[in-house]
Amino acid sequence: MGRAAEMIGSTPAFLRAIGEARLIVPLRSEGGHRRYSRYQLRVAARARELVDQGTPIEAACRIVILEDQLEDALRLNDELRRSAGDENNYSGDDRKKGNTR
């Protein structure tokens, strides 16, 4: 856990706190050590950024979850548009830039 915390510029206590908030649930080694995936470390780093900006940890966790859900929904919408052959619609990248129709 200490090495993972160092990788994201945080502390083990922060990783435990976001684990308790159920933002990330690391796997456990046979020896009981927490094992974080790269994705989980990216999520933890984003939560750390928000907390560093003054966002309460519970709110930061919720924001990260919502950002992740939005990204998934935009990706799915783009895939569905492509599979429907509707290439004339704007993409998720356009929405992120503020372009709308």
Short mmCIF file of all heavy atoms in Angstrom, two decimals, residues 70-79 81-82 89-101:
data_model
loop_
_atom_site.label_atom_id
_atom_site.label_comp_id
_atom_site.label_asym_id
_atom_site.label_seq_id
_atom_site.Cartn_x
_atom_site.Cartn_y
_atom_site.Cartn_z
N LEU A 70 -20.01 8.79 -16.82
CA LEU A 70 -20.22 9.63 -18.00
C LEU A 70 -19.31 9.20 -19.14
O LEU A 70 -19.76 9.09 -20.29
CB LEU A 70 -19.98 11.10 -17.65
CG LEU A 70 -20.06 12.09 -18.82
CD1 LEU A 70 -21.44 12.05 -19.47
CD2 LEU A 70 -19.71 13.49 -18.36
N GLU A 71 -18.05 8.94 -18.84
CA GLU A 71 -17.12 8.49 -19.87
C GLU A 71 -17.60 7.20 -20.52
O GLU A 71 -17.58 7.04 -21.74
CB GLU A 71 -15.73 8.31 -19.28
CG GLU A 71 -14.68 7.96 -20.30
CD GLU A 71 -13.31 7.83 -19.68
OE1 GLU A 71 -13.00 8.58 -18.74
OE2 GLU A 71 -12.55 6.96 -20.15
N ASP A 72 -18.07 6.26 -19.69
CA ASP A 72 -18.59 4.98 -20.21
C ASP A 72 -19.81 5.21 -21.09
O ASP A 72 -19.95 4.60 -22.16
CB ASP A 72 -18.95 4.02 -19.07
CG ASP A 72 -17.74 3.43 -18.39
OD1 ASP A 72 -16.63 3.53 -18.94
OD2 ASP A 72 -17.92 2.88 -17.28
N ALA A 73 -20.72 6.07 -20.66
CA ALA A 73 -21.95 6.35 -21.43
C ALA A 73 -21.61 7.01 -22.76
O ALA A 73 -22.19 6.65 -23.80
CB ALA A 73 -22.89 7.23 -20.62
N LEU A 74 -20.69 7.95 -22.76
CA LEU A 74 -20.30 8.61 -24.01
C LEU A 74 -19.66 7.61 -24.97
O LEU A 74 -19.94 7.63 -26.18
CB LEU A 74 -19.33 9.77 -23.73
CG LEU A 74 -19.92 10.97 -23.00
CD1 LEU A 74 -18.83 11.96 -22.62
CD2 LEU A 74 -21.00 11.63 -23.84
N ARG A 75 -18.81 6.74 -24.44
CA ARG A 75 -18.16 5.73 -25.28
C ARG A 75 -19.20 4.78 -25.87
O ARG A 75 -19.19 4.47 -27.06
CB ARG A 75 -17.12 4.96 -24.47
CG ARG A 75 -16.32 3.98 -25.28
CD ARG A 75 -15.19 3.28 -24.52
NE ARG A 75 -15.44 3.05 -23.11
CZ ARG A 75 -14.84 3.73 -22.12
NH1 ARG A 75 -13.98 4.68 -22.39
NH2 ARG A 75 -15.11 3.45 -20.86
N LEU A 76 -20.15 4.34 -25.05
CA LEU A 76 -21.20 3.44 -25.52
C LEU A 76 -22.07 4.11 -26.59
O LEU A 76 -22.38 3.51 -27.61
CB LEU A 76 -22.08 2.97 -24.36
CG LEU A 76 -23.23 2.05 -24.72
CD1 LEU A 76 -22.74 0.78 -25.39
CD2 LEU A 76 -24.05 1.73 -23.48
N ASN A 77 -22.43 5.37 -26.36
CA ASN A 77 -23.22 6.10 -27.35
C ASN A 77 -22.49 6.18 -28.69
O ASN A 77 -23.09 5.99 -29.75
CB ASN A 77 -23.56 7.50 -26.86
CG ASN A 77 -24.66 7.50 -25.83
OD1 ASN A 77 -25.40 6.53 -25.69
ND2 ASN A 77 -24.77 8.60 -25.10
N ASP A 78 -21.20 6.48 -28.64
CA ASP A 78 -20.42 6.56 -29.88
C ASP A 78 -20.37 5.21 -30.59
O ASP A 78 -20.50 5.14 -31.81
CB ASP A 78 -19.01 7.07 -29.59
CG ASP A 78 -18.98 8.55 -29.27
OD1 ASP A 78 -19.95 9.26 -29.60
OD2 ASP A 78 -17.97 8.99 -28.68
N GLU A 79 -20.19 4.14 -29.82
CA GLU A 79 -20.15 2.81 -30.41
C GLU A 79 -21.49 2.47 -31.06
O GLU A 79 -21.53 1.92 -32.17
CB GLU A 79 -19.80 1.76 -29.36
CG GLU A 79 -18.37 1.82 -28.89
CD GLU A 79 -18.10 0.90 -27.71
OE1 GLU A 79 -18.97 0.08 -27.35
OE2 GLU A 79 -17.00 1.02 -27.13
N ARG A 81 -23.73 4.58 -32.21
CA ARG A 81 -23.89 5.40 -33.42
C ARG A 81 -23.11 4.81 -34.59
O ARG A 81 -23.60 4.75 -35.70
CB ARG A 81 -23.44 6.84 -33.16
CG ARG A 81 -24.45 7.64 -32.41
CD ARG A 81 -24.12 9.13 -32.47
NE ARG A 81 -25.06 9.84 -31.65
CZ ARG A 81 -24.83 10.25 -30.41
NH1 ARG A 81 -23.66 10.04 -29.87
NH2 ARG A 81 -25.75 10.86 -29.72
N ARG A 82 -21.88 4.40 -34.30
CA ARG A 82 -21.06 3.82 -35.37
C ARG A 82 -21.68 2.53 -35.89
O ARG A 82 -21.70 2.30 -37.09
CB ARG A 82 -19.65 3.57 -34.86
CG ARG A 82 -18.76 4.78 -35.00
CD ARG A 82 -17.30 4.44 -34.72
NE ARG A 82 -16.84 5.40 -33.74
CZ ARG A 82 -16.61 5.16 -32.47
NH1 ARG A 82 -16.73 3.95 -31.99
NH2 ARG A 82 -16.24 6.09 -31.65
N ASN A 89 -23.65 12.12 -36.95
CA ASN A 89 -23.80 12.67 -35.60
C ASN A 89 -22.45 13.05 -35.04
O ASN A 89 -21.43 12.48 -35.42
CB ASN A 89 -24.47 11.65 -34.67
CG ASN A 89 -25.96 11.56 -34.91
OD1 ASN A 89 -26.58 12.53 -35.31
ND2 ASN A 89 -26.52 10.39 -34.66
N TYR A 90 -22.45 13.98 -34.13
CA TYR A 90 -21.20 14.38 -33.50
C TYR A 90 -20.78 13.33 -32.50
O TYR A 90 -21.58 12.55 -32.02
CB TYR A 90 -21.32 15.76 -32.85
CG TYR A 90 -22.42 15.88 -31.83
CD1 TYR A 90 -22.17 15.69 -30.49
CD2 TYR A 90 -23.73 16.19 -32.20
CE1 TYR A 90 -23.17 15.80 -29.55
CE2 TYR A 90 -24.73 16.29 -31.28
CZ TYR A 90 -24.45 16.10 -29.94
OH TYR A 90 -25.43 16.21 -29.02
N SER A 91 -19.49 13.31 -32.19
CA SER A 91 -18.95 12.28 -31.29
C SER A 91 -18.86 12.80 -29.88
O SER A 91 -19.03 13.99 -29.62
CB SER A 91 -17.56 11.87 -31.77
OG SER A 91 -16.66 12.93 -31.56
N GLY A 92 -18.55 11.90 -28.97
CA GLY A 92 -18.35 12.27 -27.58
C GLY A 92 -17.24 13.29 -27.42
O GLY A 92 -17.29 14.16 -26.56
N ASP A 93 -16.21 13.23 -28.30
CA ASP A 93 -15.13 14.20 -28.22
C ASP A 93 -15.66 15.59 -28.50
O ASP A 93 -15.22 16.56 -27.90
CB ASP A 93 -14.03 13.86 -29.21
CG ASP A 93 -13.26 12.60 -28.79
OD1 ASP A 93 -13.25 12.29 -27.59
OD2 ASP A 93 -12.67 11.96 -29.67
N ASP A 94 -16.61 15.71 -29.43
CA ASP A 94 -17.20 17.02 -29.72
C ASP A 94 -17.95 17.56 -28.52
O ASP A 94 -17.87 18.73 -28.20
CB ASP A 94 -18.17 16.94 -30.91
CG ASP A 94 -17.44 16.70 -32.23
OD1 ASP A 94 -16.26 17.07 -32.33
OD2 ASP A 94 -18.06 16.13 -33.14
N ARG A 95 -18.68 16.69 -27.82
CA ARG A 95 -19.43 17.12 -26.63
C ARG A 95 -18.48 17.59 -25.54
O ARG A 95 -18.76 18.58 -24.86
CB ARG A 95 -20.32 15.99 -26.12
CG ARG A 95 -21.54 15.76 -26.97
CD ARG A 95 -22.47 14.79 -26.31
NE ARG A 95 -21.89 13.47 -26.14
CZ ARG A 95 -21.86 12.54 -27.08
NH1 ARG A 95 -22.36 12.77 -28.26
NH2 ARG A 95 -21.32 11.36 -26.84
N LYS A 96 -17.37 16.89 -25.38
CA LYS A 96 -16.42 17.27 -24.35
C LYS A 96 -15.84 18.65 -24.64
O LYS A 96 -15.49 19.38 -23.74
CB LYS A 96 -15.30 16.25 -24.25
CG LYS A 96 -15.74 14.94 -23.64
CD LYS A 96 -14.60 13.97 -23.59
CE LYS A 96 -15.07 12.60 -23.12
NZ LYS A 96 -14.00 11.63 -23.18
N LYS A 97 -15.74 19.02 -25.92
CA LYS A 97 -15.20 20.33 -26.30
C LYS A 97 -16.26 21.42 -26.25
O LYS A 97 -15.98 22.57 -26.50
CB LYS A 97 -14.61 20.25 -27.71
CG LYS A 97 -13.41 19.33 -27.80
CD LYS A 97 -12.96 19.19 -29.24
CE LYS A 97 -11.88 18.13 -29.37
NZ LYS A 97 -11.57 17.84 -30.75
N GLY A 98 -17.51 21.03 -25.97
CA GLY A 98 -18.59 22.02 -25.88
C GLY A 98 -19.34 22.21 -27.18
O GLY A 98 -20.20 23.08 -27.27
N ASN A 99 -19.04 21.43 -28.20
CA ASN A 99 -19.76 21.54 -29.47
C ASN A 99 -21.05 20.75 -29.39
O ASN A 99 -21.06 19.60 -29.03
CB ASN A 99 -18.91 20.98 -30.62
CG ASN A 99 -17.62 21.74 -30.80
OD1 ASN A 99 -17.55 22.92 -30.50
ND2 ASN A 99 -16.60 21.05 -31.28
N THR A 100 -22.14 21.41 -29.68
CA THR A 100 -23.44 20.73 -29.69
C THR A 100 -24.17 21.09 -30.95
O THR A 100 -23.80 22.00 -31.67
CB THR A 100 -24.30 21.16 -28.47
OG1 THR A 100 -24.49 22.58 -28.52
CG2 THR A 100 -23.61 20.76 -27.18
N ARG A 101 -25.23 20.38 -31.20
CA ARG A 101 -26.06 20.67 -32.39
C ARG A 101 -27.32 21.37 -31.97
O ARG A 101 -27.85 21.23 -30.97
CB ARG A 101 -26.40 19.38 -33.11
CG ARG A 101 -25.17 18.83 -33.75
CD ARG A 101 -25.56 17.68 -34.62
NE ARG A 101 -24.34 17.37 -35.35
CZ ARG A 101 -24.33 16.92 -36.56
NH1 ARG A 101 -25.41 16.68 -37.20
NH2 ARG A 101 -23.22 16.65 -37.15
#
